[in-house]
Amino acid sequence: MSHIFPRHTRQAPPVAVGGEGCYLIDASGRRYLDASGGAAVSCLGHGDREVVTAIKDQLDRLAFAHTGFFTSRPAEELADLLIANAPGRLDRVYLVSGGSEATEAAIKLARQYWVEKGEPQRGRLIARKQSYHGNTIGALSAGGNEWRRAQFGPLLLDVSHIDPCYEYRLRRAGESPEEYGRRAADALEAEILRLGPETVMAFMAEPVVGATAGALVPAPGYFRRIREICDRYGVLLILDEVMCGMGRTGTLFACEQDGVEPDIACIAKGLGAGYQPIGAMLCSDTIYDTIVAGSGFFQHGHTYIGHPVAAAAGRAVVGAILGRNLLPQVRARGDALASRLDDRFGQHPNVGDLRGRGLFRGIELVRDRESKIPFDPAAGLAGRIKKAAFEAGLICYPMSGTIDGKHGDHVLLAPPFIIEDGQLDELVDKLDVAIAVALATV
Ligand code: PLP
């Protein structure tokens, strides 16, 4: 009898006891190919000796010193490393313990910035439908996934949600990808004008949408146009790279590929690679200097921010991503995965779209390719794929509600950066079996 409050009370997951490279091993000795790194977490795979040693060394020196009294060497070094490799004017790092803490801190910092700048009327946040920014109240309010929000509605903040940039479903016939990208971005301007520009504090978006939309890549020029609009109305741009950052798409920060620089960026997941719970919010010198010139402190904080052991893990992980030259490897293996997916599923009658960047790939499933009609949500296709994949020894990240929080199904893949060619074959073979098994039952 377990006393754990599990994710789902009607499922009893196996006990994980080991991890080796791209595989997880349960108590019965069964091996699972970890093709989603849990949820885009385990970018270095399991059992990375260098990261484990860095954590042990830090524990031998110092486990904890509260940031109300001290800073620590690993935190300082991780911040230096991130800023040396961060885009634009990002200059300061606020270390937290996960993705929701990072986005929550970003929302609060955006608000405090405007208060200290003398524009306290700026309190509105604009985000996008079908995005996910975390599960705490502020982060959940920013997210636009209806299923996750529904029952908590009365508790949530009043955030505006514009349409996502979703070329497969929202680009019109005859519209070029560039024209669509511009039209999709212009929805932000329309919403800023509707609310009154002087009331808007920030726009928040995932450069490549992960969990709730399945590696949804922006149309060309979309984020450049978003940046222009933010600049025109003095609105801060918060990019949530919790899932797509830290090399997942082939560059350390996903937004590098869109040619934009955020005012605030959020990272987590791949930052600790699963070895420690860690996230971070990075902000520009302009924002930081405003706080310095104003109250002098960000009115926020948690007990474990800047935890030395978590920071030592983060420093070792980012050091490995850069020092082992893994970014070109992500691009090359990402291409190899994309072409295998295309060969296997490109003509599949129930695969509507294959998308993604680097080792961050999505497969959108449809009942009919021509009309793009999704499966009946009651069929629970994504859940069936997850179960069949797990039974076949494959961990992937299927999700329902791709289109509007209710309709649509996709599978998200985010394997470790060290995945080898033979393992890519194993991934595609097992996924093919899982999709076939699931489709046979709907
Ligand atoms: N932001 C994005 C884009 C995410 O994908 C997630 C988690 O999936 C979060 C925020 C929340 O991160 P966490 O689960 O670490 O709180």
Side-chain angles (χ1 to χ4, degrees):
M1 231 293 275
S2 174
H3 291 282
I4 286 290
F5 195 139
R7 284 202 176 232
H8 201 299
T9 59
R10 297 201 192 105
Q11 287 161 9
V15 179
V17 294
E20 280 172 22
C22 293
Y23 295 89
L24 279 166
I25 303 151
D26 74 15
S28 73
R30 234 174 106 72
R31 293 167 72 84
Y32 305 82
L33 177 62
D34 189 1
S36 58
V41 172
S42 303
C43 56
L44 298 181
H46 304 277
D48 189 290
R49 294 322 307 168
E50 216 172 88
V51 181
V52 171
T53 303
I55 291 168
K56 286 182 174 168
D57 286 352
Q58 183 57 40
L59 272 172
D60 284 338
R61 255 180 249 124
L62 169 74
F64 178 68
H66 195 282
T67 46
F69 302 95
F70 295 100
T71 183
S72 71
R73 284 211 186 99
E76 294 290 340
E77 288 171 11
L78 173 57
D80 289 348
L81 189 58
L82 287 170
I83 292 306
N85 293 284
R89 300 185 62 175
L90 295 178
D91 192 47
R92 292 279 166 168
V93 180
Y94 192 88
L95 292 173
V96 293
S97 304
S100 303
E101 281 189 20
T103 51
E104 200 76 36
I107 295 167
K108 284 183 70 181
L109 182 63
R111 170 65 188 157
Q112 189 173 331
Y113 166 77
W114 287 116
V115 172
E116 304 223 352
K117 211 173 164 330
E119 296 188 45
Q121 71 284 3
R122 286 199 191 250
R124 297 286 318 206
L125 178 64
I126 303 175
R128 299 189 298 177
K129 293 176 191 161
Q130 281 315 95
S131 57
Y132 180 58
H133 298 299
N135 259 333
T136 50
I137 298 296
L140 190 64
S141 306
N145 181 266
E146 279 315 314
W147 173 75
R148 291 177 199 240
R149 293 163 53 91
Q151 68 172 320
F152 301 106
L155 307 179
L156 300 182
L157 312 173
D158 186 11
V159 174
S160 299
H161 293 99
I162 60 170
D163 277 342
C165 187
Y166 193 173
E167 218 182 309
Y168 172 62
R169 292 207 173 262
L170 301 180
R171 179 157 69 90
R172 292 178 187 144
E175 199 174 32
S176 72
E178 289 75 14
E179 284 163 350
Y180 168 63
R182 190 179 173 99
R183 179 167 65 84
D186 284 348
L188 174 61
E189 183 168 41
E191 184 59 15
I192 290 173
L193 292 173
R194 191 185 73 80
L195 293 169
E198 69 290 349
T199 69
V200 181
M201 64 174 195
F203 173 64
M204 183 184 249
E206 295 166 77
V208 181
V209 187
T212 41
L216 200 53
V217 175
Y222 173 81
F223 272 107
R224 278 211 194 89
R225 179 74 178 156
I226 289 283
R227 180 73 265 186
E228 272 171 34
I229 293 167
C230 286
D231 289 345
R232 181 170 318 142
Y233 299 102
V235 169
L236 297 177
L237 176 60
I238 303 173
L239 292 183
D240 178 354
E241 299 216 356
V242 165
M243 213 180 227
C244 61
M246 295 299 98
R248 176 56 54 200
T249 64
T251 45
L252 192 63
F253 288 82
C255 63
E256 292 170 43
Q257 292 174 60
D258 299 295
V260 287
E261 296 163 358
D263 300 295
I264 298 178
C266 300
I267 53 175
K269 295 192 185 267
L271 174 60
Y275 291 88
Q276 285 287 295
I278 183 167
M281 177 199 65
L282 286 67
C283 76
S284 69
D285 49 2
T286 312
I287 295 177
Y288 185 75
D289 292 345
T290 303
I291 304 294
V292 172
S295 67
F297 77 106
F298 177 28
Q299 198 176 336
H300 194 58
H302 304 283
T303 301
Y304 285 135
I305 61 173
H307 195 285
V309 180
R315 183 187 51 182
V317 169
V318 179
I321 293 171
L322 299 172
R324 294 179 204 164
N325 217 15
L326 292 178
L327 297 174
Q329 187 167 313
V330 170
R331 296 195 285 271
R333 294 190 187 169
D335 287 348
L337 174 57
S339 76
R340 278 168 173 77
L341 291 172
D342 196 38
D343 288 348
R344 190 66 65 94
F345 300 111
Q347 300 308 314
H348 192 293
N350 299 113
V351 170
D353 194 27
L354 294 167
R355 54 190 178 233
R357 267 188 201 162
L359 282 171
F360 200 36
R361 297 277 153 190
I363 302 169
E364 183 166 339
L365 296 137
V366 286
R367 192 154 61 79
D368 177 67
R369 270 169 80 107
E370 275 306 302
S371 60
K372 302 184 183 176
I373 290 176
F375 282 90
D376 183 346
L381 179 62
R384 287 171 193 266
I385 295 173
K386 183 178 174 191
K387 187 163 173 279
F390 202 62
E391 279 164 12
L394 178 75
I395 298 168
C396 57
Y397 194 176
M399 188 66 73
S400 297
T402 318
I403 302 168
D404 55 8
K406 185 167 181 216
H407 300 90
D409 299 89
H410 67 262
V411 179
L412 184 66
L413 299 169
F417 301 171
I418 57 169
I419 193 161
E420 287 168 3
D421 276 350
Q423 294 165 335
L424 289 175
D425 292 333
E426 181 185 344
L427 187 170
V428 174
D429 286 345
K430 288 183 166 169
L431 186 60
D432 197 0
V433 169
I435 290 177
V437 168
L439 285 173
T441 61
V442 294

